[in-house]
Amino acid sequence: MIGIHVNFMMAAQPRSFRFPDPTEEERRYLGELAHWTREETGYQLIQGTRPQTLAFGLTDHLPAFAAWIVEKFRAWSDCGGDVESAISRDRMLADISLYWFTGAIGSSSGRIYAPPPRRGDPARRRDHRGAHRLRAIPARNPSSHRAPRRRAYSPTFAAGTVMPKGGHFAALEQPALLAD
């Protein structure tokens, strides 16, 4: 395998883990993670705890569903509040259509947001063998810091690049930069 794209790879969960004697970068990361958790994860709670309730409402009302999706594009892309500067209207409508016409609104998020089974300490160090490179996406994304990832996963996360622009939807916003 040459590479893998992982969106929003977290080095620590805000409530379950604190870095002992954090570095300055780890303190910045934890501050950004706390802000992200407070401001950007409400959707995750409702989809993880009441997915069917939300799915029925969104499946029944196209304007509500479109607003739900476009709000995520606007909030999580590197767009300065103008979502169409990062993701074209046609691309957003194509994504909305894919979910809407297939009726996959409720089934598409269940595996992602359902709470994982409890197995030991979720913040335990993982032993990832081999070299790792991080292509960090800077906009509104606390996962771009390398130091916390080295401590939580592997010292081989030291190498990497912070992209000059892009957000959570980097493959849509900046495909050439992501692939470069």
Side-chain angles (χ1 to χ4, degrees):
M1 176 170 50
I2 294 172
I4 184 171
H5 172 79
V6 178
N7 255 4
F8 206 61
M9 182 179 171
M10 303 305 294
Q13 299 300 319
R15 290 183 198 94
S16 65
F17 185 74
R18 296 287 187 242
F19 296 109
D21 302 317
T23 66
E24 180 60 32
E25 185 180 10
E26 289 167 343
R27 280 193 292 279
R28 278 194 315 272
Y29 167 80
L30 290 170
E32 291 172 21
L33 181 60
H35 173 78
W36 180 271
T37 301
R38 185 177 59 254
E39 297 296 324
E40 300 296 343
T41 61
Y43 79 98
Q44 187 176 2
L45 293 174
I46 190 70
Q47 285 183 258
T49 59
R50 304 293 185 273
Q52 200 167 7
T53 303
L54 182 63
F56 285 148
L58 294 178
T59 300
D60 194 44
H61 195 64
L62 180 57
F65 177 67
W68 179 267
I69 297 296
V70 171
E71 190 280 328
K72 293 296 153 237
F73 281 139
R74 189 206 54 79
W76 296 352
S77 66
D78 189 5
C79 69
D82 177 15
V83 68
E84 290 183 63
S85 71
I87 303 168
S88 73
R89 182 178 298 196
D90 284 346
R91 182 65 221 184
M92 287 186 281
L93 289 172
D95 278 23
I96 290 165
S97 296
L98 180 65
Y99 286 104
W100 185 260
F101 293 127
T102 62
I105 296 164
S107 62
S108 62
S109 61
R111 294 184 60 205
I112 296 171
Y113 301 113
R118 295 274 183 199
R119 282 186 243 149
D121 179 10
R124 72 184 183 277
R125 183 181 180 89
R126 284 95 170 160
D127 183 19
H128 294 279
R129 307 214 184 261
H132 298 81
R133 292 199 48 88
L134 172 67
R135 172 104 16 178
I137 315 300
R140 301 187 63 122
N141 191 340
S143 67
S144 64
H145 297 280
R146 285 183 232 148
R149 195 163 342 299
R150 279 196 307 269
R151 190 187 295 225
Y153 290 101
S154 171
T156 61
F157 268 105
T161 303
V162 176
M163 290 176 50
K165 55 187 173 178
H168 180 76
F169 303 103
L172 290 175
E173 299 172 62
Q174 301 297 329
L177 284 175
L178 186 64
D180 186 25

